[in-house]
Each structure stands twice: as C-alpha cells, then as structure tokens.
Amino acid sequence: MADSRFFSRKGPFSVAQIAELTGADVVNAPDRDRVFDDVSPLQNADSTILSFFDNRKYIDAFINSKAGACFVRPEFADRAPKDMVLFTTNDPYRAYAKAATAFYPFETGNGSISEFAVVDPSAKLGKGVQVDAGAVIGANCEIGDGTIIEANAVIGKGVVIGAGCRIGANASISHSLIGNLCLIYPGARIGQDGFGFAMGPQGHVKVPQLGRVVIGNDVEVGSNSTIDRGAGPDTVIGNGCRIDNLVQIGHNVEMGMGCVIVSQVGISGSTKLGNFVVLAGQAGITGHLEIGDGAKVAAQSGVMKNIGPGETVGGSPAVPVMEYHKQTVALSRLIRKKK
Amino acid sequence: MADSRFFSRKGPFSVAQIAELTGADVVNAPDRDRVFDDVSPLQNADSTILSFFDNRKYIDAFINSKAGACFVRPEFADRAPKDMVLFTTNDPYRAYAKAATAFYPFETGNGSISEFAVVDPSAKLGKGVQVDAGAVIGANCEIGDGTIIEANAVIGKGVVIGAGCRIGANASISHSLIGNLCLIYPGARIGQDGFGFAMGPQGHVKVPQLGRVVIGNDVEVGSNSTIDRGAGPDTVIGNGCRIDNLVQIGHNVEMGMGCVIVSQVGISGSTKLGNFVVLAGQAGITGHLEIGDGAKVAAQSGVMKNIGPGETVGGSPAVPVMEYHKQTVALSRLIRKKK
Amino acid sequence: MADSRFFSRKGPFSVAQIAELTGADVVNAPDRDRVFDDVSPLQNADSTILSFFDNRKYIDAFINSKAGACFVRPEFADRAPKDMVLFTTNDPYRAYAKAATAFYPFETGNGSISEFAVVDPSAKLGKGVQVDAGAVIGANCEIGDGTIIEANAVIGKGVVIGAGCRIGANASISHSLIGNLCLIYPGARIGQDGFGFAMGPQGHVKVPQLGRVVIGNDVEVGSNSTIDRGAGPDTVIGNGCRIDNLVQIGHNVEMGMGCVIVSQVGISGSTKLGNFVVLAGQAGITGHLEIGDGAKVAAQSGVMKNIGPGETVGGSPAVPVMEYHKQTVALSRLIRKKK
C-alpha cells in the first residue's frame, strides 16, 4: 500500500469500472460489482488488490500471488491462481497504467499562488494555476490552466507553458514554448544558450544563440536533464516524447513524436530524430545526423553516422546490432584462441 | 593552509592527542606534547603541519617533505626525513581523515531558521536544525536534530530526514525517508517519479510511481545526482553508501551497505546491488540484475548480466576483467599484424 | 528573426561597420553604407540579413541563399549568388560571432537588487551588479561590476566573483574564486566537497576537503555541470575554458587555458590538463593523469594513461586515434570472415 504521507488514493473501483476504464476483458469474475481497494505489484498483493503480470521473468510471482485481480495476457490466463479475477489484454502494463491512474490521479493545480512566490505582474496565469513558494515567474510569461509551478522553479521572461503541466522544484526554463500536459522534472534546465562558439588559439568567441526550445504536448523531461535552445533555428521536441534524467540535448536538435530517450544519453547539436526513436541509456549521438523513424540505439552506443528508419544499432562506433553482437562474439573467441 | 574565508580551524593537537584520535603508533617523537597546527598535503607542509603518505606514486614528495609529522605505513618509516614525527598505521589515509576532521570538524546546524525560509507549520524540526534562506519545507516533514537545510533546497511534504544531515543548496527531495548523518549535495534530486510508462505507437501512458526512496544512515548523494522513487516497491540505499556526482539511480533499485558509486554511473530500474559493491565512473548497469557483494565494475563498463559476489568485470558488454584485458591486448595485436 | 519575446536587437549596421567590427574584407559591395537589419542562418535569410557559410556540408544552402550578405572563405566567393555582399575571411564563423554579438549584445547587470533576493549585509557588490529574485548571497562575498546573479542562485559565504559574469538560475557556488566575464549556467554546482574518503569494510571515512575552486577569466561552465573543490590543493580552471553541460570535474583537477570540455565528460581527481585540450562528449579521464597541450580525446573514450602534447586518442581504453580506427576496421573484418 502506498505510503499515505505521500500519496492519496481514490476508489475503490469495481470489476465493471476497471473493465470500462481499461478496455480489458473480464475473466473469472462471478461478481462484477466486487471492488478493489488499491493497486500493487504481485508480490505484496492481497485479495483486495489489483495487480498486473507483464514480464515473464516474474511468472512465479504471478502463479503464487494472492492478488484479488490481475491484468494479464490471455495466453497466461490458465496459469493464474484459482480465485484471481483476470483482466485479459494484450498490453497488461498499459491497462495497469490506466487503472493505477484512476486510484492515484495526477495532481493538477489547486489555484493557490504562494505568498512566497514572485510572479511578475505582467505574467498571465490561467485558471487553477498553482505557484509554490520561492518560484519565480518572469515578465510576460503565459501559464496555461491547471499547471503547477513547484517550489523554487524559475520561469524566465516571455516563456509560454501550456495547460496541465507540472514544472518541478528548482527547474529553470527560459526562451521556451512548452505545450500542454508536459512534466518537467526537478532541476531540468531548458532554454539556456547552447555550446556555440568559434574556437581558435587566440580564444573562443561566443556566438549568440538566437533560437528557442519548442516542446510539444505530453512531453516529459527528466530530473537534471538539459535542453539548450537553438542557435538560430529552434530546438524542437515533438509530442509524446519521454526524456529521462541527466540527458543532454544540444542546440538545434529536432525530435519527432514519441521518442524515448533513456538516462544519461547525449545528443549533439543539429541532429534530427524521426518519430518513435529509442535511445537507450548513456548512448551518444554526434551532431548533424539524421536518425530515422523507429530507429533504436543500444545502451552506451556511439552513433557517428545516419541511421535509417527502423534500424537498430549498437557499439561505439555504432554498427547494425547484429554486426555488433558478432563483433562481441568474435572478440571473445579471439582471446580463447590466444590462451 | 586552508583559506580562512571558507574554513575555520580547531587545534592545535599534540602528538599524544593525534595518536589517541587515530589509533596510530607514534615513532620518532621525543616530545609527546609537541603540537601541530594544521593538516596539508606533503608538498606544502612545514614543521607545524601533519600530513600523510599513502600513494606510492608520491614517494619523492614524502622523502623530501618538510612536514613536521606524517601518517605512514610501517614499511615506509625508514624512508622518512630525519626529523619527521611518524604515526605508523596500515591505513594512513583513514587515520589522516580522522585527524583532519579534528582540525576541521563537519558543521552541524546552529538552530537558526532564516526569516526567508518557508517552513510549513506542521513540519517538526528537531533541536539545532538550521534552515537557510529560500529553503522550503513542506507539510508534515520531520527533520532530525542538528540537520542543516541549505539555501533554496526544497523538501516535499511528508519527507523524513534524520539527525546530523546536510541537505545541499538547491537540492530537492520528495517521497523519501532519509536516515541520520547523510550528506545530500547541492542539486541532488531524490524521490521524483521514475521513468515508468507503458510504451506504444498510440502514445506512452504514464504509470503512477507509488513507492518511496528509503536511504539509510551515513549516506552521501553527490551533486546533481538523481534517485527516482520506487514504482511500487521502494528504491533503497543502504547504510554507508557513497554516491558521487551526476549519478542516475532508477526506480526500485536496491543497494546494500557501503557501496561506492562513482560519478556519472547509471543504474537502471529494479537492479539490486549487494554490500560494498564498487561501480567506477560512467559505468552503466541494465535493469533487473543482481550484483553480488563486493563486486567491482570498471569505468565505462556496460553490465548486462548478473555479477557474482567478489567478481570484477570490465568492458561493454562487461566480461570478467581478465578477459576484458585480454580482449584489449588481442585487439591491439590484431592491428599490428595488419600493418 | 529572433523571437522578440526573448531577444532584443540592436542595429542596423552598415557594410563599413560590419567590416570594421570583424576585420573581414568586403567584396561585391557597391554601397558601403548599405545596412543590414539582422543575422540568421542561410536558409531563412532575405536581402536585409547578414549570414555566414562555414561548413561545406551546407554549400547548397549558400549557393541558393537569398541572404543580403554573408561571411565566407575567399575560396568560396565565386560560388556566391550574384547580388550577395561578401565579407571574406579565413574564419567566417568567428567573424559571424562578432557581428551577431553587435546585433544581440550580451546583457550585463542593470544594478537592480530584487527585494526578494537575500544579500548578506557584509557582501560587497560592485557597480551595476544585478541580483534577481530568490538569489541568496552569503557573508563576505565579493561580486564584481556588472555581474548578474540570476533567480534562486546561491552564492556561499566568502565566494569571490569577478566583473561581467552571469551566474545562472538555481546555480550554487561555494568555496570558490571566479574571474571576470565568466558564464556559469543554470544548475551548475561549483565548490562543494569532492568524493574524498578512506574506504574500508568497517565503513568509509570522509576526508575534509580543504581546497577551493579557482576559475580564471572568460570561462563557461555549462548547465548542471559539477566542479568539486580541491582536497588540499585547489581545483583550477584556466582562462578561456569552455565546459559544456553535465560535465563532472573532480577535486584537484587542473586545466590550462582554452580547454574545450564537451557534454557529459568526466575528469577524475588530480588529473592535469594542459592548454587547449579538447575532450569530446562522454569521454572519461582517470585520476592522477597528465594530458598535454593541444591533446584531443574522441567522444566516449576512456583515458587511462598520460597523453602527450598534440596527441589525439580514441577508444576505451584509449589508444592513439589511428590505432583506434584500425581496431574498428579490424573488428569489422573479423566478423566478415566468420560469416
């Protein structure tokens, strides 16, 4: 059960309600009005709990679970404990996400502006906007309905933030236009000028960075990640992108829809990603590249060439992933011979 | 000598006091009441100074040092300058740490709550708690005796922090229980929700993250490091762990006692580390792994499989360290042949 | 054209003024009094715009540009569109940097101290120093003329910052001496104590870190980068260095003049860099090394040995770059044989 110091729960929800919320099929539920009080992982669940089984690695936990109900793929339904109510679906984790959000809805702004916040009189705040203590909002900012600006966040002059967003504690945003329903985590840095200068032995001369950061709707930017504004063009993050913690995104980078950028990835300036690109943890992408739709980059890879749509690469320098695996095998054979 | 703008010194301490503080044996000290005024590295030391010699690389500095006294391993005692007082011990650096801490004790809270801090009336602050300007402490927080909350730090509602801790400037903590004597460095992010969502071409659906971060006693979390809270279970950091700067720790990670996590390491979700595990800089660990007690991972390694207790691995993908060294050698031979 | 919500423009500037500002030669300009209104990349430029052509990759954009004027190398002058005014120079990007800075000058402090800032009465602020809301400046700090301290930044006691600097939002600085004309980006952490402790199975004992961070003139430290103070000696950053985002610099590191440290690089304790060293993205450098003047380290390299002046290395572990390329080729040949 989630710690009530930190979480407040809605519900309970009935079998029928859960089915409707998630679109899952109900199996083994004699009573459609039976309610569940909470969600939790399989291991800790009891008969009042709704859980999910998605990663086969945890099949034993599923078989032995005391959970009252579970989201599960249809093909595993016959492995379930006898009395478990089953919600079958091809994407149990997605169904669980929706149900869990019903029990623990995301907060939206409560309309309070802390007396310890500093909001420029020219800023336009929508309905329900919440500004916590120590937050600073600059001249001519526009903040959409229901957005929360957490404590000690700093929003620079002219920044536009859509509705239903949450800007985390101690984050700072400047020179940016941000869509609706975005989550900017604590300590994220968005819109500062990029690493642009003319190098030379007589000193490096800074180049004014005259673009912005433009972020779509439903985007997450993780804790302490950094997104530099464009040098002339904008830095662009498409709708639905998920950016994890400690990620670096250079100036002029463009990212399509639904990209997933895992922790500690670095994307150098002017590189363009298509839609639904996945970059695994600690990967690095050189500047001025094009990464096609649906491309995948393995963890710690170093990408130095364009990647076509749908391709998967690995290694540093990165090569097609099958080649990368063969290299790994060849290398391990090589030393076996030398023994 | 440490810059008095930043540091204030105690002492002097006598030979006898230093021996008692550190447990070292005294050699070559005709006068046990002789005092030393300060600590410093060998190079800059004069006869009033206590120093240490630990890394053989610096033996010349030891032989030529003007330091009045020095912690040293017994086997190097006969290389010391003629008049140097020696404190012999098998761990000179540890002895030095204790002595240096006597000269420069760690600060604890002075009991002042800045009039520019924002402390929720329901928060419970222990004796001597110090809250600096701009810090924000949420509802129902509990802060133990002598803890310092530095300027512009943000402590979310319900967070529990033990005694004798220091929470650095601009750090933010939510959904967390933290033990005694912990140092959380500036800009660290602890307790935000992890990178949890159900991926899909129709959009990524966020999964509520219902766990906490639970940190033991005597833990350090470096500057701008990020520790996400658990998804259902907690993220757990054991007693005595040392986490360097810019480290990422994913949701549900569990870490035993005394682990050392060097800068820019990333640990993916649900991975479990035993006790006294060492991860060197920029290493990355995939999710859902088990890393045994005392395991060591070389810098920049990419760990994709479980590691047994006491094993040392290197490379990306990581292999046993001897194998990794052989691979490196084999690769360099390979190109010599091709010339 | 730069978004006027975020940028304010000076000018226009005439052909003659631009030539004088930048030292470029004027070609194809019948009217030296003709003025240009703004700067922009080649693609978006019209006849009122000054642009630049530097990267051959974009030659088509140059040939087809509608820009009124352009900085260009002399050897490309004859590829220019017929009516384009040309400013020829061997370093078009540097000339553009200077011209763009005339149109968009860097801000300096406006002399306002926000009523919501907290400045210790003992701090000495120069002329024109600007302190934004929520910034906290400790006892005995000295801040030079025209420096800007952005919102919610924290400057610890005794810190000295030169003239014409900008300290970004939510940055924190302690135990440091910083020169003139430095840009410290949002969220940077400078001067906290380094990762220094005596390890041992009975627990890790913290070692007091008694040095400082000493930063020269004209230095940039990127967003969320971390620079730990020295353990006894200082951590030193030379004049003109450029440090990108999310970089880690360990205690006692020394860096000469004009070094360029790209995003997510980590430099371990006590390593010394000469002048004009370049470390590309995500490279890692072990502690206690010497990296010679002008050395270059490829992205993601892992440097474990000293590097001589002018050398270029790559790979992990890093080897001379030609060797690294041969290794990459050899590895790809190896798997071709195995097919």
Side-chain angles (χ1 to χ4, degrees), chain C residues 173-188:
Chain C
I173 303 177
S174 72
H175 304 83
S176 296
L177 311 178
I178 296 180
N180 300 318
L181 298 171
C182 291
L183 295 175
I184 309 300
Y185 282 83

Side-chain angles (χ1 to χ4, degrees), chain C residues 1 14 18 38 58 130 192 217 275 303 307 311:
Chain C
M1 213 184 78
S14 68
I18 294 164
D38 203 349
Y58 298 116
Q130 174 182 332
Q192 58 284 344
N217 300 318
N275 299 321
V303 177
I307 305 178
E311 285 184 22

Side-chain angles (χ1 to χ4, degrees), chain A residues 102-147:
Chain A
F103 283 100
Y104 297 95
F106 299 114
E107 277 181 65
T108 54
N110 61 15
S112 70
I113 311 294
S114 166
E115 61 181 311
F116 304 104
V118 182
V119 180
D120 191 276
S122 63
K124 290 183 198 116
L125 308 192
K127 279 182 212 161
V129 165
Q130 173 183 334
V131 184
D132 292 346
V136 177
I137 298 180
N140 300 308
C141 285
E142 299 176 33
I143 314 281
D145 294 353
T147 284

Side-chain angles (χ1 to χ4, degrees), chain C residues 15 27-29 34-36 38 42 45-51 65-70 81-87:
Chain C
V15 169
V27 173
N28 197 28
R34 178 173 168 190
V35 297
F36 297 97
D38 203 349
L42 287 164
D46 65 28
S47 66
T48 67
I49 299 293
L50 172 62
S51 191
S65 179
K66 308 254 183 270
C70 189
K82 197 165 85 43
D83 297 329
M84 191 184 267
V85 174
L86 301 179
F87 294 96

Side-chain angles (χ1 to χ4, degrees), chain A residues 198-220:
Chain A
M199 282 176 71
Q202 69 281 52
H204 310 309
V205 181
K206 185 165 180 60
V207 177
Q209 303 287 300
L210 303 171
R212 306 164 301 183
V213 174
V214 179
I215 294 181
N217 300 317
D218 182 30
V219 168
E220 296 193 17

Side-chain angles (χ1 to χ4, degrees), chain C:
Chain C
M1 213 184 78
D3 189 327
S4 63
R5 285 174 287 194
F6 304 121
F7 303 96
S8 60
R9 198 175 65 213
K10 305 290 181 189
F13 294 99
S14 68
V15 169
Q17 286 174 309
I18 294 164
E20 196 185 331
L21 265 169
T22 62
D25 294 319
V26 181
V27 173
N28 197 28
D31 176 7
R32 292 210 145 217
D33 292 329
R34 178 173 168 190
V35 297
F36 297 97
D37 291 342
D38 203 349
V39 291
S40 105
L42 287 164
Q43 297 86 326
N44 320 321
D46 65 28
S47 66
T48 67
I49 299 293
L50 172 62
S51 191
F52 73 102
F53 167 51
D54 192 45
N55 183 340
R56 281 151 208 245
K57 194 168 176 176
Y58 298 116
I59 179 119
D60 287 347
F62 175 59
I63 291 171
N64 299 309
S65 179
K66 308 254 183 270
C70 189
F71 293 105
V72 60
R73 287 203 180 77
E75 61 265 36
F76 290 104
D78 60 358
R79 311 292 299 274
K82 197 165 85 43
D83 297 329
M84 191 184 267
V85 174
L86 301 179
F87 294 96
T88 60
T89 162
N90 288 319
D91 194 342
Y93 192 48
R94 173 175 289 259
Y96 171 80
K98 289 178 182 168
T101 303
F103 283 99
Y104 297 94
F106 299 114
E107 277 180 66
T108 53
N110 62 14
S112 69
I113 311 295
S114 167
E115 61 181 309
F116 304 103
V118 181
V119 180
D120 191 278
S122 64
K124 292 184 197 114
L125 308 192
K127 279 182 210 159
V129 165
Q130 174 182 332
V131 184
D132 291 346
V136 178
I137 298 180
N140 300 309
C141 285
E142 300 177 31
I143 315 280
D145 295 352
T147 283
I148 300 175
I149 311 292
E150 292 189 349
N152 287 343
V154 177
I155 314 296
K157 69 170 183 187
V159 167
V160 177
I161 298 174
C165 297
R166 173 186 281 263
I167 310 300
N170 286 306
S172 57
I173 303 177
S174 72
H175 304 83
S176 296
L177 311 178
I178 296 180
N180 300 318
L181 298 171
C182 291
L183 295 175
I184 309 300
Y185 282 83
R189 310 290 159 209
I190 299 178
Q192 58 284 344
D193 43 314
F195 203 54
F197 49 87
M199 283 176 71
Q202 69 280 53
H204 310 310
V205 180
K206 185 164 182 60
V207 177
Q209 303 286 300
L210 302 171
R212 306 164 302 181
V213 174
V214 179
I215 294 182
N217 300 318
D218 181 31
V219 167
E220 296 192 18
V221 178
S223 293
N224 285 347
S225 286
T226 56
I227 305 179
D228 290 343
R229 72 173 182 264
D234 294 320
T235 302
V236 180
I237 312 290
N239 294 336
C241 287
R242 297 284 180 270
I243 298 170
D244 201 353
N245 299 342
L246 294 168
V247 167
Q248 152 72 359
I249 297 180
H251 55 186
N252 308 345
V253 165
E254 294 182 22
M255 209 179 277
M257 288 192 311
C259 294
V260 174
I261 313 296
V262 180
S263 183
Q264 297 175 322
V265 161
I267 307 177
S268 300
S270 301
T271 280
K272 291 179 179 34
L273 275 60
N275 299 321
F276 292 97
V277 169
V278 177
L279 307 182
Q282 297 182 335
I285 319 288
T286 293
H288 298 273
L289 298 185
E290 311 237 340
I291 312 296
D293 291 348
K296 288 189 172 61
V297 174
Q300 294 191 326
S301 302
V303 177
M304 301 169 66
K305 295 192 294 199
N306 292 343
I307 305 178
E311 285 184 22
T312 300
V313 304
S316 179
V319 292
V321 75
M322 287 309 301
E323 217 172 296
Y324 172 56
H325 289 320
K326 282 180 191 165
Q327 286 182 359
T328 301
V329 170
L331 205 53
S332 74
R333 270 187 201 143
L334 203 62
I335 66 167
R336 237 163 279 146
K337 275 190 242 161
K338 309 263 167 195
K339 271 177 194 165

